[in-house]
Amino acid sequence: MAEQHKSTVVITGASSGVGLQAARALAQRGNWHVVMACRNLEKAENAAQSVGIPKDSYTIMHLDLASLDSVRQFVKNFRESGKSLDALVCNAAIYTPLLKEPLRSPEGYELSVATNHLGHFLLCNLLLEDLRNSSASEPRLVILGTVTHNPKELGGKIPPRPDLGDLQGLEEGFKAPHSMIDGKKFEPVKAYKDSKVCNVLTMKELHRRYHESHGITFSSLYPGCVATTALFRDHYPLFQKLFPLFQRYITGGFVSEEESGNRVAEVVADPEYNQSGVYWSWGNRQKKNGKSFIKEVSPEASNDDKAKRLWELSQKLVALA
Ligand code: NAP
């Protein structure tokens, strides 16, 4: 299909795992051009080639979500490319379960919340107008969620559980000595889970503020437990070896990277996913090509007051307010 007739999707963190496979799945459809928004350009190029994405179906652009300057520069570069924006997928994330002390973003924020939440929060805000101006009948903004955001589900029951508390860490500027949103002691696993609660709250608040006025469909999804991805690269080597086996043979919840990418592509492109403000899931005991359904999110991620407060505080931290 000629380039000018293709829709454009930006996917963050498309250099591995779910994001790479989502890029592959959308490009394979033939009517999508994928902008792979990645921090390592060479890695992204090799990754695109490794899964056979046709050369004319993708563009790689630099984006380091940990740096607010880089997010702003990415948006500038994207606009200069002259492409329209028809869908945005906020997929990139880091998970650093073994850290004893927090790493910091250039702005001084704890790195996993800075990358997974604040970088995406700024990106979504800056690209809203671009999505609004899309010629597509239904532009979409999709944010990756995870089962571990929800203590009401089995996968979310394992401690430490996410809890944003009263957002004290954010209220007080989120720089050292703060490293947790609730203002408590640093716990790297909880920091990741908290950031994923923020992702769902952001999707909900985007929907409340902009769905009607901008005609954009906002949604999240849990792609399934994709136990082989590089997300677990900073975990114990033994965990990395046993976790996929555990998911495949004990829980039955194993989802391949390819299948997870197909799921993201469905939420981005298929007509039945044109519902805004919802969170899609394929369940926890998953079969290939199983059916998706709208899943309730955790009580904290459904809290409208918290979504509003998180929005206001995040605006300040990324210098939008
Ligand atoms: P992954 O293979 O580690 O992919 C993460 C991607 O994010 C990589 O491309 C990585 O880039 C990129 N990234 C990390 N920091 C970045 C930064 N500062 N700027 C730009 N890009 C950055 O992990 P994954 O499993 O595919 O995870 C993708 C999404 O799925 C995440 O949102 C995760 O929460 C969600 N998810 C995953 C699972 C699972 O079981 N794996 C389950 C539920 C939800 P590099 O290649 O340069 O490192």
Side-chain angles (χ1 to χ4, degrees), residues 47-64:
Q49 287 179 25
S50 74
V51 295
I53 306 178
K55 271 266 176 218
D56 61 354
S57 299
Y58 69 93
T59 305
I60 297 171
M61 286 190 191
H62 186 262
L63 170 65
D64 180 354

Side-chain angles (χ1 to χ4, degrees), residues 13-19 37-40 43 63-66 90-94 115 144-147 192 196 222-227 229-233:
S15 54
S16 79
V18 179
C38 298
R39 60 180 170 172
N40 182 333
K43 181 176 178 186
L63 170 65
D64 180 354
L65 283 156
C90 296
N91 161 80
I94 54 165
T115 306
L144 269 287
T146 174
V147 70
Y192 170 79
K196 300 308 286 184
Y222 170 52
C225 182
V226 200
T229 74
L231 190 66
F232 306 101
R233 72 185 105 178

Side-chain angles (χ1 to χ4, degrees), residues 82-104:
K83 294 182 195 308
S84 75
L85 182 65
D86 306 301
L88 168 63
V89 180
C90 296
N91 161 80
I94 54 165
Y95 174 56
T96 51
L98 304 181
L99 279 185
K100 298 277 182 259
E101 295 295 329
L103 298 172
R104 300 266 167 201

